[in-house]
């Protein structure tokens, strides 16, 4: 959510200790806790803003979430982070830094959201529409926190509202089935409370479509295909969540007014910076260049598909990086794979000071994803061809020159998801859920030469089933729990 007055709420429950020297005792001013903070409408809005603010954190979405897709055949990790290399090579263990970060920050989302869910209803000085919206946002983000925990770790602890009230946070893992039920319950609450859309002043807030989109994704991972179809159709049939006219507009400043963006990271240059894109941008251009597309991804695009040019930079391509020197050529020394992600190479103009555009709203969930999930559910329940209409809407938006599919099965659906959503964090999870159902062989895919960077061409990646379907619980969390938390099998 964009606001020049964003309030970061690091913790609303604060513990103070006594024992200071008498001459240093001071009367504290402006000290807040959960008993005295939630007084009025402004407090409710600010507490919700404190949840949104987490999205901009480097170890919340940016680096951490990028890393969890780096094992896929879409891109290679570059840079000097051994934890990223271990995740890509499937050699990670419970001490991996990225595994630790994700647990911490997703539970912080659960914490802040539950705090709002418990306390906003107590506020009387608040517009009912704002109260409903705020509660819907809190339910959505609690579901989002548990969603990412479930996708990454599988079985995880559910901190109930009673646990939260009693400050009982050391609880054992719940089954993945119960976690899914918790997510489903929260998302249904969010759907009932959130508005369908917002005006410009509230651009970037989650909407009813955002909650429906995540609920559709949940049902697909749950393999509840009829429910996924029914829920997803509420997104694809609603003009408030229509596909953008131009695919590339999702990855430029034009996306600020896009209906297709269901969830995004919003920021303001030099105020609240969004660091997500720097992991995709070459280092000499102001980024880190960690996520470099692979040959196999480039080969996947059809010859006349403009999404390739919108997604990838290849050697010889030109782009304006805002340095005042006109177009800059992408050269082979900028990437070990020969490619970079154009869709995240967003720069300020030279007149605006140049450099990486940290205001660019990074899409985290788009309607196109939901279109293709509904198409997949239709194919898997009704057979080849049942998803043609939705696949063709996505293809036609990309280019009228793309030949419509006819009788499309899972092969065509898998292709479409890969080229449409490249670099958006979906590929590794897609392949794993398809591998579970023996639709693909993920181990063979990951050892294909085009799925590796040239410098890793002789490296053998061993995907162990079912071990690698989930990541280990961070060892530091198991240690802190004094044995209450149990490690995932095979770690």
């Amino acid at each position: 959510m964009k606001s020049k007055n964003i309030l970061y709420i690091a913790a609303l429950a604060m513990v103070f200790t006594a024992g200071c020297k008498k001459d240093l005792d001071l009367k504290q001013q402006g000290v807040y806790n959960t008993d005295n903070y939630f007084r009025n409408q402004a407090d409710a809005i600010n507490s919700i803003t404190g949840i949104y603010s987490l999205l901009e954190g480097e170890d919340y979405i940016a680096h951490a979430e990028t890393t969890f897709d780096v094992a896929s055949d879409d891109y290679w990790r570059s840079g000097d982070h051994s934890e990223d290399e271990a995740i890509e090579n499937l050699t990670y263990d419970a001490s991996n830094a990225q595994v630790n970060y994700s647990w911490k920050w997703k539970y912080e989302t659960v914490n802040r959201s539950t705090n709002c869910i418990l306390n906003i209803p107590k506020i009387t000085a608040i517009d009912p529409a704002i109260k409903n919206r705020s509660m819907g946002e809190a339910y959505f983000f609690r579901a989002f926190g548990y969603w990412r925990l479930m996708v990454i770790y599988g079985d995880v602890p559910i901190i109930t509202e009673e646990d939260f009230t009693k400050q009982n946070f050391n609880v054992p893992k719940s089954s993945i089935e119960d976690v899914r039920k918790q997510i489903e319950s929260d998302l249904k609450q969010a759907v009932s409370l959130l508005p369908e859309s917002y005006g410009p002043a509230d651009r970037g807030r989650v909407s009813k479509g955002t909650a429906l989109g995540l609920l559709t994704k949940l049902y697909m991972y749950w393999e509840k295909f009829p429910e996924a179809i029914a829920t997803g159709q509420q997104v694809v049939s609603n003009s408030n969540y229509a596909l953008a006219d131009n695919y590339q507009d999702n990855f430029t400043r034009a996306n600020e007014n896009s209906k297709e963006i269901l969830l995004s990271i919003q920021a303001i240059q030099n105020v609240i910076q969004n660091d997500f894109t720097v992991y995709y941008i070459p280092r000499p251009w102001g980024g880190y260049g960690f996520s470099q597309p692979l040959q196999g991804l480039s080969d996947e695009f059809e010859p006349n598909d403009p999404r390739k040019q919108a997604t990838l930079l290849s050697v010889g391509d030109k782009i304006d990086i805002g340095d005042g020197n006109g177009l800059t050529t992408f050269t082979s020394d900028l990437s070990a794979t020969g490619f970079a992600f154009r869709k995240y190479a967003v720069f300020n103009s030279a007149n605006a000071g140049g450099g990486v555009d940290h205001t660019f709203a990074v899409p985290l969930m788009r309607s196109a994803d939901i279109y293709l999930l509904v198409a997949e559910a239709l194919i898997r329940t009704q057979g080849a061809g049942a998803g043609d209409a939705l696949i063709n809407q996505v293809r036609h938006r990309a280019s009228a020159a793309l030949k419509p599919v006819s009788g499309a099965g899972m092969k065509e659906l898998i292709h479409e998801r890969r080229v449409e959503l490249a670099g958006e964090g979906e590929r590794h999870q897609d392949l794993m859920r398809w591998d579970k159902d023996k639709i693909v062989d993920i181990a063979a895919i990951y050892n294909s030469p085009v799925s590796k960077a040239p410098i890793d061409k002789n490296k053998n990646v061993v995907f162990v089933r079912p071990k690698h379907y989930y990541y280990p619980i961070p060892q530091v969390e198991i240690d802190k729990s004094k044995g209450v938390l149990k490690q995932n099998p095979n770690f």
Side-chain angles (χ1 to χ4, degrees), residues 100-136:
N100 293 344
Y101 294 146
S102 196
W103 181 278
K104 171 185 175 180
W105 289 110
K106 301 315 180 290
Y107 272 111
E108 181 62 16
T109 302
V110 171
N111 173 44
R112 296 190 188 189
S113 299
T114 304
N115 202 22
C116 292
I117 289 167
L118 287 171
N119 288 289
I120 289 177
K122 301 173 184 177
I123 299 174
T124 56
I126 186 171
D127 181 278
I130 297 295
K131 177 179 277 191
N132 284 341
R133 182 194 78 190
S134 298
M135 290 295 290

Side-chain angles (χ1 to χ4, degrees), residues 151-292:
V151 165
I152 295 167
Y153 304 102
D155 299 346
V156 296
I158 296 173
I159 310 299
T160 67
E161 290 167 27
E162 183 179 1
D163 290 329
F164 191 95
T165 301
K166 294 179 177 179
Q167 297 290 288
N168 176 31
F169 301 121
N170 189 20
V171 299
K173 294 192 296 184
S174 296
S175 70
I176 196 169
E177 183 73 10
D178 286 342
V179 178
R180 287 166 172 164
K181 289 177 181 178
Q182 175 67 47
I183 297 168
E184 179 186 38
S185 175
D186 280 351
L187 288 175
K188 285 183 173 181
Q189 287 274 34
V191 168
S192 71
L193 292 164
L194 288 167
E196 285 199 348
S197 59
Y198 295 94
D202 288 306
R203 183 175 59 232
R205 291 188 180 276
V206 297
S207 67
K208 191 182 299 289
T210 314
L212 287 167
L214 187 57
L215 187 55
T216 304
K217 293 172 77 68
L218 171 69
Y219 285 140
M220 287 302 294
Y221 279 65
W222 211 344
E223 297 200 334
K224 291 190 172 186
F225 299 130
E227 290 88 341
I229 293 167
T231 305
Q233 287 286 6
Q234 295 179 66
V235 176
V236 303
S237 64
N238 192 322
S239 61
N240 284 304
Y241 318 122
L243 299 176
D245 291 338
N246 186 333
Y247 175 80
Q248 192 167 8
D249 284 349
N250 288 302
F251 309 101
T252 69
R253 281 286 189 89
N255 73 8
E256 290 185 350
N257 299 310
S258 173
K259 295 180 178 181
E260 181 174 348
I261 308 300
L262 299 178
L263 178 63
S264 63
I265 310 172
Q266 307 253 340
I268 301 173
Q269 191 86 10
N270 299 323
V271 179
I272 302 160
Q273 293 204 159
N274 168 13
D275 288 329
F276 183 97
T277 59
V278 297
Y279 294 97
Y280 296 87
I281 294 172
R283 192 171 292 268
W285 295 356
Y288 297 144
F290 286 172
S291 303
Q292 300 180 1

Side-chain angles (χ1 to χ4, degrees), residues 7-59:
L7 171 65
Y8 282 84
I9 305 174
L12 294 177
M14 305 178 72
V15 178
F16 298 93
T17 59
C20 295
K21 290 184 179 179
K22 188 173 181 180
D23 60 349
L24 293 179
D25 285 345
L26 299 173
K27 184 178 181 181
Q28 298 184 15
Q29 302 291 330
V31 176
Y32 294 108
N33 56 46
T34 52
D35 293 327
N36 67 12
Y37 179 78
F38 291 88
R39 302 158 302 174
N40 52 44
Q41 180 169 298
D43 295 338
I45 293 172
N46 287 335
S47 66
I48 295 297
T49 300
I51 307 173
Y52 281 96
S53 71
L54 290 169
L55 296 176
E56 287 127 7
E58 181 178 26
D59 294 326

Side-chain angles (χ1 to χ4, degrees), residues 265-374:
I265 310 172
Q266 307 253 340
I268 301 173
Q269 191 86 10
N270 299 323
V271 179
I272 302 160
Q273 293 204 159
N274 168 13
D275 288 329
F276 183 97
T277 59
V278 297
Y279 294 97
Y280 296 87
I281 294 172
R283 192 171 292 268
W285 295 356
Y288 297 144
F290 286 172
S291 303
Q292 300 180 1
L294 293 164
Q295 185 66 51
L297 175 58
S298 176
D299 294 346
E300 186 75 21
F301 289 92
E302 296 160 60
N304 58 340
D305 190 342
R307 286 176 294 190
K308 180 175 183 178
Q309 184 177 14
T311 300
L312 301 179
L313 282 166
S314 304
V315 174
D317 288 347
K318 297 182 182 298
I319 185 172
D320 187 351
I321 64 172
D323 61 358
N325 295 319
L327 295 179
T328 297
T329 301
F330 183 74
T331 53
S332 60
D333 61 312
L334 294 173
S335 166
T337 67
F339 303 97
F341 277 106
R342 182 190 292 267
K343 65 165 53 171
Y344 294 125
V346 184
F347 300 92
N348 293 301
S349 68
N351 291 337
V356 175
D357 184 353
H358 289 286
T359 301
F360 165 61
V362 175
L364 297 180
M365 181 166 56
R366 298 191 286 118
S367 297
D369 181 5
I370 311 307
Y371 276 64
L372 295 176
L373 288 176
V374 176

